[in-house]
Amino acid sequence: MPPEYADKLWHGEAIQLDLAGSTNTWAGARDNTPCADIRILGNTCDKSGSQDAWGTLAGSHTAVPGVRHARVRIEENVVTNTIWDAITPFNTEALSIRSNQITGCHGGVYVRAANSGVNPLTTVEITGNTVGPLRPNSAGKVRWGVGLAAYTQDAPIGDILVSGNTAPSYAYNGRQWMSFRQPPQS
């Protein structure tokens, strides 16, 4: 964690989608029930009068084999000044991220499969979002405007539509702003 965020909500989500599992002592039956049929619509995520910015508007941290969050729509939100990526769903399929306005965040939209590669994901749509300007960290770097990451060949992300998004040309350290990381096929 960069030192400038040591006392902030570094990975805090304003809306957290996680499995009701053994590591989540705060909620659920601890049976790995995923989130499903969620619509996050028309919210504003920014600093408040008493707290600094959130880490992200909506994201998650948990994954187990064979269990995925599904049918999540993140639409028409205004996301400003997040410490990390504005919208970062994890282990989520049948996902639509549409018509969000993102400014002053360190990164834009970042959809990730599980780091451990336990679940392939399908049907991800990222359309009509406006990203930027982005806020650089203390090293002067920003992340991507729109990015997707699959970490193993066993858990790719398929059926992807990315269309009609705008983002600054400088995003992700001067590289192309739209990043798709799929593992090479054998």
Side-chain angles (χ1 to χ4, degrees):
M1 167 184 347
E4 66 265 30
Y5 301 122
D7 62 342
K8 307 291 188 274
L9 297 168
W10 176 245
H11 277 300
E13 293 91 0
I15 301 166
Q16 183 171 342
L17 306 175
D18 271 333
L19 302 178
S22 61
T23 60
N24 292 339
T25 58
W26 47 266
R30 298 182 186 201
D31 60 358
N32 291 317
T33 299
C35 297
D37 300 312
I38 306 290
R39 188 171 185 202
I40 302 168
L41 171 67
N43 299 284
T44 298
C45 179
D46 198 351
K47 297 177 182 181
S48 73
S50 62
Q51 295 292 317
D52 221 349
W54 286 98
T56 186
L57 166 67
S60 56
H61 299 280
T62 53
V64 297
V67 180
R68 300 158 192 83
H69 306 299
R71 297 176 308 283
V72 175
R73 296 165 51 189
I74 304 170
E75 304 170 313
E76 301 175 17
N77 299 286
V78 176
V79 187
T80 309
N81 299 315
T82 59
I83 295 170
W84 199 238
D85 298 309
I87 300 170
T88 182
F90 171 77
N91 192 41
T92 305
E93 65 182 8
L95 171 66
S96 174
I97 302 171
R98 182 179 64 83
S99 300
N100 297 285
Q101 302 294 315
I102 298 167
T103 58
C105 301
H106 183 53
V109 175
Y110 183 33
V111 175
R112 302 172 295 137
N115 294 17
S116 57
V118 297
N119 295 320
L121 302 177
T122 187
T123 314
V124 173
E125 296 182 5
I126 305 170
T127 59
N129 299 286
T130 302
V131 179
L134 296 173
R135 187 193 69 259
N137 64 12
S138 59
K141 297 182 179 182
V142 297
R143 290 171 54 83
W144 38 62
V146 175
L148 292 106
Y151 296 94
T152 70
Q153 290 181 359
D154 296 330
I157 301 173
D159 189 20
I160 299 167
L161 172 64
V162 177
S163 177
N165 300 290
T166 60
S169 61
Y170 60 79
Y172 202 63
N173 307 325
R175 297 183 201 162
Q176 182 180 5
W177 72 272
M178 190 119 15
S179 175
F180 301 97
R181 294 191 306 180
Q182 286 281 81
Q185 299 299 311
S186 306

